[in-house]
Amino acid sequence: MKKILLFLLTLLILTTGCGSIVARKDKSQIIKFENSKLVDGNYDITFYKILYPETPYEKDKFYEQFDILTSKMVAYGKDINLIIPLELYKDLKNLQKREVREGEKVFYKQAYSLTEEEKEKIDSKVNVDTPNDAGTIQKYLNKQVAYWLDYLKRPQEYDSKRYYTELDKDRIVEEVFENRKFFSNTCFAIENDYVLEVSEEELEEGGKLGFPLYFKGNYIPNELENLASKIYVIEGEIEDTVIPEKLLLIDKKVVENIKDCRIKTEIIDVENPLTLISKLDEYENLKIKDMLNFNVKYVPNSELKKASVREEKVERKTIEFERTNIKWGIE
């Protein structure tokens, strides 16, 4: 019995104390930027969120505007932070390879290989007559041709009684490519200025590209820790939080998850890229390109500041010896 009481007393003393600094897992990283210009202090960062049109005609006009903006950024060596949709980035890649845009692929794909889902999409976009005795493949081939003629603003040329071929379709699409000759590769020369806008369904796809990611939401998806992207810009009602090995920026908030730096984020919607040309000389705030490379340092608890939390003081438990009938000693 005496040995048991001695053991309990020793255990009680060892497991209690006057409070300690304990590193919280979500508050225990210190980020150090490789860019020596980023020193301790307060910073503002502005992101211009590019609104991508939906119709084919508006998209073509948009490309001309976007091409002018990116060309000036390259020519004058200017940088501003651009949030662009993942769809736009993929479309630009397709244009670079002289391929149709992402949303147009269903109208370019060979008719015999269309899936039922793709046929439904074509039906939702194109409503024209086709030859009465045409089979399913011919029907959708005709609809594809009708789409491209309408795109070229020549819908009257579509003949509902004609049996179009894949070669006919290719010739029409080639005209589309000719109309897009204005496209240049300057948009890829400023990739370090891009943040990709993704939906929840696009997180994994966008994350594989390694760009900083932007999304709307009132929570932080768990999968962010496993994506290649290192920086996330969120527009939503969330708290300043640290994602291990990542950097989080929140719209309209000052975040302090970077040791000794406080960064306030602002996101501005932009419909016409040309309106940003005047910003090229005006913008003096933080640039995303200067934040892309950073290291995460882990330090002992005694050195942690913002990256730590103090536990509440726990009162030491004591034993009132005089109230016990046990004789302490060694027999």
Side-chain angles (χ1 to χ4, degrees):
M1 182 66 178
K2 293 178 181 178
K3 292 182 179 180
I4 294 174
L5 284 172
L6 280 170
F7 172 77
L8 292 175
L9 180 61
T10 303
L11 184 65
L12 198 61
I13 293 172
L14 291 174
T15 55
T16 58
C18 298
S20 59
I21 299 294
V22 179
R24 259 173 38 187
K25 290 182 180 179
D26 62 338
K27 293 288 183 183
S28 60
Q29 66 181 10
I30 293 176
I31 291 176
K32 183 176 181 180
F33 295 103
E34 292 184 9
N35 185 345
S36 59
K37 295 179 181 178
L38 294 179
V39 295
D40 302 352
N42 299 318
Y43 294 93
D44 292 325
I45 185 167
T46 303
F47 293 96
Y48 298 98
K49 180 183 171 187
I50 303 296
L51 304 180
Y52 194 32
E54 295 184 0
T55 68
Y57 315 111
E58 290 175 330
K59 284 183 177 179
D60 280 348
K61 184 178 180 181
F62 169 87
Y63 291 139
E64 294 182 19
Q65 297 168 344
F66 193 68
D67 193 59
I68 293 172
L69 170 65
T70 58
S71 295
K72 287 189 178 295
M73 290 175 68
V74 172
Y76 298 108
K78 300 292 185 178
D79 299 280
I80 52 176
N81 308 311
L82 301 176
I83 297 176
I84 67 171
L86 176 60
E87 179 191 2
L88 170 57
Y89 183 76
K90 290 161 68 174
D91 284 348
L92 293 172
K93 282 292 186 181
N94 289 331
L95 290 172
Q96 184 187 38
K97 297 180 289 188
R98 281 182 65 81
E99 293 180 1
V100 294
R101 294 186 293 239
E102 200 68 22
E104 299 171 335
K105 287 185 175 180
V106 67
F107 300 102
Y108 185 62
K109 187 177 180 179
Q110 291 187 320
Y112 76 86
S113 63
L114 291 168
T115 66
E116 291 303 315
E117 183 179 356
E118 290 169 336
K119 291 174 184 176
E120 289 177 7
K121 182 176 180 180
I122 291 175
D123 287 336
S124 69
K125 299 287 185 180
V126 182
N127 182 23
V128 294
D129 293 330
T130 57
N132 293 331
D133 57 347
T136 301
I137 295 176
Q138 186 64 58
K139 171 185 174 182
Y140 284 97
L141 179 53
N142 272 39
K143 286 194 170 189
Q144 288 175 319
V145 169
Y147 171 85
W148 291 114
L149 286 173
D150 183 66
Y151 176 86
L152 292 170
K153 299 184 180 180
R154 304 202 311 263
Q156 69 281 1
E157 293 184 18
Y158 173 73
D159 185 351
S160 62
K161 296 179 181 179
R162 179 176 170 179
Y163 294 84
Y164 288 98
T165 67
E166 290 289 349
L167 182 58
D168 293 326
K169 183 175 69 177
D170 287 344
R171 287 171 177 166
I172 296 171
V173 173
E174 188 60 32
E175 291 186 54
V176 175
F177 288 143
E178 287 298 311
N179 288 348
R180 293 176 179 174
K181 277 187 172 179
F182 59 81
F183 176 77
S184 68
N185 289 327
T186 55
C187 59
F188 300 112
I190 59 164
E191 285 192 336
N192 283 343
D193 295 317
Y194 291 156
V195 175
L196 296 187
E197 177 184 2
V198 294
S199 62
E200 186 175 355
E201 294 73 25
E202 296 172 326
L203 267 176
E204 184 175 352
E205 181 183 6
K208 290 179 181 177
L209 298 173
F211 286 90
L213 297 183
Y214 158 89
F215 58 91
K216 282 187 176 182
N218 295 324
Y219 70 99
I220 300 175
N222 293 328
E223 58 263 38
L224 297 192
E225 292 187 28
N226 302 318
L227 299 180
S229 299
K230 296 179 66 178
I231 301 177
Y232 299 100
V233 183
I234 298 183
E235 186 174 353
E237 295 301 320
I238 63 170
E239 296 299 321
D240 183 8
T241 307
V242 168
I243 308 171
E245 306 288 341
K246 312 290 183 179
L247 172 58
L248 177 66
L249 301 172
I250 306 171
D251 182 39
K252 295 181 177 62
K253 287 189 177 180
V254 177
V255 298
E256 300 185 13
N257 55 62
I258 307 166
K259 187 176 185 294
D260 299 325
C261 287
R262 292 155 298 282
I263 301 179
K264 182 179 180 181
T265 301
E266 182 181 14
I267 298 172
I268 300 175
D269 290 347
V270 176
E271 291 187 5
N272 186 343
L274 295 180
T275 61
L276 293 178
I277 293 177
S278 62
K279 304 292 184 183
L280 297 180
D281 287 323
E282 297 174 4
Y283 188 79
E284 296 180 350
N285 292 338
L286 205 56
K287 297 173 182 177
I288 193 69
K289 64 177 294 185
D290 295 328
M291 303 171 62
L292 295 177
N293 298 315
F294 59 83
N295 298 308
V296 177
K297 180 184 178 184
Y298 295 92
V299 295
N301 294 345
S302 60
E303 295 182 29
L304 294 176
K305 294 180 181 178
K306 293 173 185 174
S308 64
V309 59
R310 180 177 293 277
E311 288 186 336
E312 294 296 325
K313 182 176 179 180
V314 179
E315 294 294 331
R316 186 191 300 274
K317 296 182 180 180
T318 60
I319 295 177
E320 298 182 17
F321 294 98
E322 61 186 23
R323 295 186 182 181
T324 66
N325 295 320
I326 297 172
K327 297 179 180 179
W328 297 90
I330 301 176
E331 294 182 354

